[in-house]
Amino acid sequence: MSNTELVLQTIFGELSFSVTAKEGDLSNAKILSSDLESMIPEGMEVEGSVAILLRVKSSTEIKHLNFMCTWNNSIGKGGACTGQGLDAWEWETDNHLILIGTEDEEWLGSRLRQKYISESPVIMGSKGFEIHIEEYPKGMELTLHYMVASNRLPEKEECSCWFAVDVSHKRVLEACP
């Protein structure tokens, strides 16, 4: 498997993470994963919490980069559950819940400087997510992340998975060196 693809086994099937760009050198791109202990309110718990990180430092300018998170199998319809600083999507099946989250447009724009991102950089759909970066300068490291959390339903404390995917980018960077 190349550095630009990672497959995560979940209770719902395979979740693929990949990166493409219309222009730019992705030869040193890496998609990393790490279990991440949840820092969620007391009384809440999740069965699993995984950080997925894209790191790329291109020798040329990158244009139209897409960091995708896609279900490899057929999965039921998901639903948006976004919040301040967080774009998230959830799926439920067979008394299980999976949430996938990433930084929203505001947080991405603040961290990457607004000029690098498209008007709506996070696109959510029934099969997953896509983070779109319009352009990024050569020689600067670009990092993007997803968080994946799972639980049995009903959750011991409602919204536990939501809190588990609401993780700062700095914390993901520390978890995926």
Side-chain angles (χ1 to χ4, degrees), residues 5-22:
E5 184 176 13
L6 181 136
V7 177
L8 180 66
Q9 298 293 332
T10 75
I11 57 174
F12 291 1
E14 291 183 346
L15 195 53
S16 287
F17 298 87
S18 60
V19 62
T20 62
K22 286 192 178 171

Side-chain angles (χ1 to χ4, degrees), residues 79-90 99-108 120-124 129-131 145-147 162 165-166:
C81 56
T82 61
Q84 180 70 35
L86 176 69
D87 276 336
W89 204 257
E90 65 181 359
L99 253 79
I100 303 170
T102 191
E103 297 170 292
D104 72 3
E105 177 181 348
E106 182 181 342
W107 285 82
L108 273 172
S120 297
V122 180
I123 302 160
M124 296 184 286
F129 279 92
E130 184 175 304
I131 303 171
H145 80 264
Y146 289 106
M147 282 298 305
W162 188 88
V165 299
D166 190 16

Side-chain angles (χ1 to χ4, degrees), residues 146-175:
Y146 289 106
M147 282 298 305
V148 180
S150 60
N151 241 348
R152 288 195 179 276
L153 289 175
E155 289 185 291
K156 181 178 174 182
E157 290 290 329
E158 197 170 300
C159 299
S160 295
C161 277
W162 188 88
F163 279 99
V165 299
D166 190 16
V167 173
S168 74
H169 189 69
K170 180 182 177 189
R171 191 150 179 260
V172 173
L173 288 172
E174 291 167 356

Side-chain angles (χ1 to χ4, degrees), residues 4-172:
T4 55
E5 184 176 13
L6 181 136
V7 177
L8 180 66
Q9 298 293 332
T10 75
I11 57 174
F12 291 1
E14 291 183 346
L15 195 53
S16 287
F17 298 87
S18 60
V19 62
T20 62
K22 286 192 178 171
E23 294 179 32
D25 177 16
L26 297 181
S27 63
N28 73 350
K30 292 181 181 155
I31 301 174
L32 308 164
S33 70
S34 178
D35 290 340
L36 186 63
E37 184 179 339
S38 297
M39 296 178 77
I40 54 181
E42 191 171 329
M44 291 186 171
E45 57 187 48
V46 293
E47 290 180 351
S49 178
V50 179
I52 310 293
L53 178 70
L54 167 67
R55 286 185 179 272
V56 62
K57 188 172 184 178
S58 180
S59 60
T60 61
E61 182 180 48
I62 298 172
K63 292 192 178 182
H64 301 287
L65 179 136
N66 292 305
F67 182 32
M68 296 160 287
C69 167
T70 309
W71 290 103
N72 289 347
N73 52 295
S74 180
I75 188 163
K77 185 176 178 179
C81 56
T82 61
Q84 180 70 35
L86 176 69
D87 276 336
W89 204 257
E90 65 181 359
W91 288 267
E92 293 181 20
T93 192
D94 297 328
N95 295 323
H96 284 89
L97 170 69
I98 287 189
L99 253 79
I100 303 170
T102 191
E103 297 170 292
D104 72 3
E105 177 181 348
E106 182 181 342
W107 285 82
L108 273 172
S110 173
R111 189 171 62 78
L112 298 180
R113 297 189 288 217
Q114 195 68 36
K115 67 181 181 179
Y116 299 132
I117 66 172
S118 59
E119 189 173 314
S120 297
V122 180
I123 302 160
M124 296 184 286
S126 62
K127 294 285 280 180
F129 279 92
E130 184 175 304
I131 303 171
H132 180 77
I133 304 299
E134 198 70 32
E135 60 182 66
Y136 205 75
K138 69 178 182 178
M140 287 180 57
E141 184 177 55
L142 171 64
T143 57
L144 302 169
H145 80 264
Y146 289 106
M147 282 298 305
V148 180
S150 60
N151 241 348
R152 288 195 179 276
L153 289 175
E155 289 185 291
K156 181 178 174 182
E157 290 290 329
E158 197 170 300
C159 299
S160 295
C161 277
W162 188 88
F163 279 99
V165 299
D166 190 16
V167 173
S168 74
H169 189 69
K170 180 182 177 189
R171 191 150 179 260
V172 173

